[in-house]
Amino acid sequence: MHVVAEDVEQPARGGKGNKKKGSLWRELPIMIIVALLLALLIKTFIVQAFYIPSGSMENTLQVNDRVLVNKLVYRVRDIERGDVVVFSGVDSWKDEVDFEEPSNPVTGALNWVGSLFGLVPTEKDFIKRVIGVPGDKVQCCDGQDRITVNGVPLEEKAYLFPGNKPSTTPFEITVPPGRLWVMGDHRQVSADSRAHQGDPGGGAVPIDHVVGRAFVIVWPFSHAGVISIPDTFSQPALSATAALGSEAPLLVGAAFAVPLVRWRSRRRRNR
């Protein structure tokens, strides 16, 4: 009895196993497609991974680092000085690293999937630090070779590449509305806003080209960590001076308006 039962059950279990294996192979392509669609949705609207191909942001970011970029943050707050942002340079900025075009459709598809997960660099995305926001007067340099924003010097040793000066290229710009003045932390090799002063906007990047804020390094683990805003950008004088600059016309108008109103009141009384 036991032998017969054993002989009957074995093929049955084997059959079920084969069915499960067949079902898994049929479901695998669907699982891969769903995973890619979810990754695409996340990349498009929430968080995207980026590969760092150049040394323009050393030592904050190293070549071959992978960072995550928050694509929602600027829906709830403005871009701030000191933010490390990824932006599109399509039709404007030249690549800092040469890329080879995919040789065939298969390579192109693999390249697209790799860029989706931050495994390979994208061709026209750049990553830099925001130095000036709209209305800021950014200038190089003061008597101590420091970049100033609205007349306030920036102490940049915390993130500037060792041995680099803040800039060897003199410049002075009032950042136009809707644009940002951006620079790499490795100033000697970074082709940033300074290299595009002859472009529309004087080298400043359109805000609507910004993809999002890089907020964390996820690879390699030895270099993983949060990308924070340096303390030099927390100086109250930066915002206070900028606010005063934007309100200056109003203050000047008020200064002339008050005496004028008093003079007219006195004149009416005399009549």
Side-chain angles (χ1 to χ4, degrees), residues 54-219:
S54 77
S56 68
M57 280 296 293
E58 291 175 331
N59 279 331
T60 303
L61 302 175
Q62 307 286 346
V63 178
N64 298 325
D65 278 357
R66 273 73 164 180
V67 300
L68 294 184
V69 171
N70 186 335
K71 305 181 82 168
L72 292 177
V73 62
Y74 296 133
R75 295 181 183 272
V76 296
R77 74 162 174 86
D78 292 333
I79 298 173
E80 298 177 0
R81 305 176 194 91
D83 281 352
V84 174
V85 298
V86 170
F87 59 93
S88 172
V90 173
D91 299 327
S92 58
W93 286 37
K94 183 181 182 300
D95 297 331
E96 292 179 316
V97 176
D98 292 329
F99 297 97
E100 292 185 7
E101 291 290 334
S103 56
N104 57 66
V106 175
T107 306
L110 291 174
N111 191 70
W112 178 81
V113 173
S115 65
L116 187 67
F117 293 98
L119 300 176
V120 297
T122 52
E123 295 183 25
K124 283 294 184 179
D125 289 322
F126 296 81
I127 186 164
K128 304 292 179 188
R129 189 180 299 278
V130 176
I131 303 298
V133 296
D136 282 347
K137 182 178 180 180
V138 188
Q139 187 173 4
C140 172
C141 286
D142 67 2
Q144 298 182 42
D145 288 332
R146 297 173 298 185
I147 288 174
T148 62
V149 178
N150 302 319
V152 180
L154 299 181
E155 297 294 345
E156 302 189 277
K157 290 181 180 179
Y159 55 89
L160 206 62
F161 187 82
N164 276 195
K165 290 185 176 181
S167 180
T168 56
T169 303
F171 62 85
E172 180 177 340
I173 183 174
T174 298
V175 183
R179 290 181 176 265
L180 305 166
W181 184 266
V182 297
M183 300 176 73
D185 291 351
H186 194 170
R187 299 287 163 79
Q188 286 185 357
V189 302
S190 178
D192 46 42
S193 287
R194 297 169 297 166
H196 297 270
Q197 294 184 67
D199 295 350
V205 174
I207 288 177
D208 59 11
H209 284 197
V210 173
V211 176
R213 176 178 179 259
F215 67 99
V216 64
I217 303 166
V218 294
W219 184 264

